[in-house]
Amino acid sequence: MRVLVQRVSSARVTVDGETVGAITPESQGLVALVGVTHDDDVAKARRLAEKLWQLRILDDQRSASDIGAPILVVSQFTLYADTAKGRRPSWNAAAPGAVAAPLVAEFAEALRKLGAQVATGVFGAHMAVELVNDGPVTVLLEL
């Protein structure tokens, strides 16, 4: 499982022109783009959620847990693109939707159980993600 985290001052995800998840510009937040591979499991999703919740990448070296920063979780199978050969990426390392969807949902739910305010995209949908990267700060989390 990979989580590409961006510190943001605002963000939103739209599907078919409708906003399905957002972080408003009142405070800093985090966008978590989540990719799942074949050997990932619920335990890994929970550990990554806890790592993200405690990650000190907000202003003054604070974490989302310190200030209650909102988190926008968006599924992103392309984090497992293999571009080693040729010009066309291979997606073989990305887990199929039947495996990935419940793990992305578990990741978001684990964040909620930790106390996070979580918004999400729609798994498998064509989403438009808009964000203002603050810093910029972008971090790749893996276990």
Side-chain angles (χ1 to χ4, degrees):
M1 187 171 250
R2 293 178 178 159
V3 180
L4 186 68
V5 181
Q6 296 185 308
R7 182 176 76 183
V8 299
S9 56
S10 65
R12 74 181 184 140
V13 173
T14 58
V15 175
D16 295 328
E18 180 181 334
T19 299
V20 295
I23 294 174
T24 58
E26 290 117 26
S27 65
Q28 283 185 326
L30 300 172
V31 170
L33 304 174
V34 180
V36 178
T37 193
H38 302 281
D39 62 350
D40 289 335
D41 57 24
V42 169
K44 190 177 280 189
R46 290 176 181 163
R47 286 194 317 271
L48 272 172
E50 187 171 344
K51 187 173 184 91
L52 173 61
W53 184 234
Q54 299 294 332
L55 190 64
R56 298 189 170 281
I57 61 171
L58 299 173
D59 283 346
D60 300 323
Q61 297 182 355
R62 293 180 296 175
S63 67
S65 68
D66 291 333
I67 64 170
I71 301 172
L72 177 58
V73 174
V74 180
S75 61
Q76 185 80 41
F77 79 93
T78 60
L79 289 175
Y80 279 99
D82 180 355
T83 59
K85 294 181 182 179
R87 297 179 303 205
R88 182 177 295 146
S90 167
W91 312 112
N92 292 337
V99 173
L103 291 176
V104 173
E106 179 59 38
F107 176 80
E109 185 58 28
L111 285 167
R112 288 183 184 104
K113 286 179 181 175
L114 290 166
Q117 173 192 342
V118 179
T120 64
V122 176
F123 189 92
H126 182 91
M127 295 177 274
V129 180
E130 299 174 50
L131 60 90
V132 177
N133 192 321
D134 184 25
V137 174
T138 302
V139 176
L140 181 62
L141 300 179
E142 288 185 283
L143 293 179

